Amino acid sequence: AQSVTQLGSHVSVSEGALVLLRCNYSSSVPPYLFWYVQYPNQGLQLLLKYTSAATLVKGINGFEAEFKKSETSFHLTKPSAHMSDAAEYFCAVKGSTLGRLYFGRGTQLTVWP
Amino acid sequence: DAGVTQSPTHLIKTRGQQVTLRCSPISGHKSVSWYQQVLGQGPQFIFQYYEKEERGRGNFPDRFSARQFPNYSSELNVNALLLGDSALYLCASIPRTSGGPDTQYFGPGTRLTVL
């Protein structure tokens, strides 16, 4: 079975500081992993996805994530936070059912001026 | 191109009632998945449909049902509503059904409140 665990339900950073959102996965098969962002009262927007082509994945808005098989991790980073990054972030792993994603509980990112 | 559309955006029902939520996928996409997102949690998979057939079901009671139409739009029905059904219901549009890492494109959701 597949699952993800997001460490830290809330993360606060100052504008310009490094953003690090943690995600660990469990998968019985080589995983496909995703990070989505959700702004208030909106649906989910894809930030990036890991498809085994490269361990360092670059996404939109300056975000990137590194797949580490030995640590079963797929942490999301951004070198310099912007006020507009404040949102909820979800890590997800693709399930064996073709159209199924398993999501973590989410991490709320707050960016202070 | 239009994205995923869902209707209505908000809905208020009372316990015991029935509700129907609608989703239109991105043009050319033949598969949709439905998710329930309870406040403070990540989305939970309910159903996937492809070519009008159910291809997957999550751990939800039989009060939840869905269907897909020839134009690939979909409806999610929930009967005998409970307070715990209050959530944001998300529809995801999927380009194809395959073993690959197809991106799921989410609609804005329908916010259901059960009183």
Side-chain angles (χ1 to χ4, degrees), chain B residues 34-97:
Chain B
W34 286 94
Y35 292 83
Q36 180 196 64
Q37 186 180 14
V38 174
L39 192 64
Q41 297 184 20
Q44 298 290 317
F45 175 78
I46 310 175
F47 288 111
Q48 184 204 5
Y49 274 77
Y50 175 70
E51 292 281 15
K52 299 179 289 180
E53 292 187 3
E54 182 183 305
R55 293 300 185 94
R57 184 185 184 111
N59 187 26
F60 280 81
D62 291 344
R63 298 185 297 107
F64 289 77
S65 63
R67 56 179 175 169
Q68 187 177 33
F69 299 98
N71 66 353
Y72 305 111
S73 67
S74 178
E75 288 183 350
L76 175 69
N77 296 284
V78 187
N79 294 321
L81 286 168
L82 303 174
L83 295 179
D85 295 331
S86 295
L88 180 68
Y89 288 85
L90 296 164
C91 173
S93 177
I94 309 169
R96 57 184 177 178
T97 296

Side-chain angles (χ1 to χ4, degrees), chain A residues 26-38:
Chain A
S26 173
S27 178
S28 55
V29 297
Y32 294 125
L33 295 159
F34 304 80
W35 275 100
Y36 282 86
V37 61
Q38 186 176 37

Side-chain angles (χ1 to χ4, degrees), chain A residues 18-19 47-48 57-65 76-81 85:
Chain A
L18 171 71
V19 175
L47 282 175
L48 49 82
V57 182
K58 295 187 181 299
I60 63 172
N61 301 338
F63 284 94
E64 63 181 34
L76 182 71
T77 61
K78 182 174 180 177
S80 177
D85 295 327

